[in-house]
Amino acid sequence: MALSREQLAQRVAQEFKDGYYINLGIGIPTLAANYIPDDMEVILQSENGILGLGPFPTEDEIDADLINAGKQTVTLAPGAALFSSAESFAMIRGGHVDLTVLGAFEVDCQGNIASYMIPGKLIKGMGGAMDLVAGADNIIVTMTHASKHGESKLLTECTLPLTGKACIKRVLTDLALLDIEDGKFILRERAPGVSVEEIKAKTAGALIVPDHVPEMQF
């Protein structure tokens, strides 16, 4: 079974480390705020000017004036700070974010990412994605492994306009966790019940499959 959006968020939250400053991109990445372990302290940053995001609000906690970069209502963790987007991007461009989690349309085995534009289609725009991929050394992409038509999104070479070049080292899809090294995808984990054969069939880029590929644990 392919991972649900919530399972993707749970698995990516396992990549968090105590003390990390983390930027969670729009979509699936933002859900990871709900799965931070109780014994771990991380500081979530939003490029519209928040440092110290909390979990998503319950219905009685919603404040329409308090939103993240994706215009979703959020809560603040104790000690949170609010500031201008200019200061937020100074933090991002200055390399002060330890981990960035982003969505993507395509990733290729050279570590290139296409995430902001599909020619001829109306989408939200690039937001802070270009700054985030340029300013962070540790980036994880969360995405579906293939399109709704079954076409691979893990490619030999991206076909869409690039957000960043040679900047992605780890990809979490609804089928697998993969690293990118030396121009190849390396299969590290597979979603529970998903076969290696299915992952191979839906990966267009060069793929290395170790002798043992464990299932993800939640």
Side-chain angles (χ1 to χ4, degrees):
M1 293 289 291
L3 299 182
S4 66
R5 289 168 57 88
E6 287 73 22
Q7 287 174 315
L8 279 165
Q10 282 181 274
R11 179 58 189 84
V12 83
Q14 294 177 21
E15 301 293 307
F16 298 174
K17 294 183 180 180
D18 201 47
Y20 264 16
Y21 288 84
I22 302 171
N23 183 286
L24 300 177
I26 295 169
I28 292 169
T30 58
L31 298 176
N34 292 332
Y35 297 104
I36 298 169
D38 292 336
D39 60 349
M40 180 182 293
E41 183 179 1
V42 299
I43 300 92
L44 301 181
Q45 191 253 15
S46 182
E47 61 258 37
N48 62 321
I50 303 175
L51 189 61
L53 287 166
F56 279 109
T58 59
E59 192 168 336
D60 60 344
E61 293 175 324
I62 290 175
D63 179 349
D65 292 324
L66 193 59
I67 60 172
N68 62 18
K71 299 180 176 60
Q72 297 167 302
T73 53
V74 295
T75 63
L76 298 179
L82 304 177
F83 38 86
S84 75
S85 59
E87 291 172 299
S88 178
F89 278 95
M91 180 181 180
I92 292 166
R93 294 169 184 168
H96 303 295
V97 174
D98 297 303
L99 174 64
T100 293
V101 185
L102 295 173
F105 300 132
E106 296 175 345
V107 172
D108 68 30
C109 53
Q110 303 302 320
N112 301 324
I113 176 175
S115 67
Y116 83 96
M117 178 183 182
I118 300 177
K121 290 191 177 182
L122 181 64
I123 59 174
K124 289 184 178 181
M126 69 185 72
M130 288 186 175
D131 295 272
L132 287 163
V133 299
D137 290 327
N138 190 6
I139 305 166
I140 300 174
V141 169
T142 60
M143 61 191 296
T144 55
H145 208 98
S147 72
K148 61 184 178 182
H149 305 295
E151 299 167 343
S152 179
K153 294 183 178 181
L154 302 181
L155 307 174
T156 301
E157 185 175 348
C158 289
T159 63
L160 295 172
L162 296 183
T163 308
K165 287 187 174 184
C167 54
I168 306 304
K169 299 174 184 175
R170 176 158 280 201
V171 182
L172 174 65
T173 77
D174 56 343
L175 302 182
L177 177 71
L178 310 99
D179 287 329
I180 300 175
E181 296 178 9
D182 300 323
K184 296 180 176 65
F185 294 107
I186 304 174
L187 182 58
R188 298 301 188 194
E189 297 177 11
R190 53 195 173 89
V194 172
S195 68
V196 170
E197 288 69 28
E198 181 180 357
I199 295 166
K200 289 169 67 175
K202 292 182 177 178
T203 305
L207 176 66
I208 294 176
V209 180
D211 292 337
H212 175 62
V213 182
E215 290 190 349
M216 295 177 194
Q217 301 295 316
F218 295 96

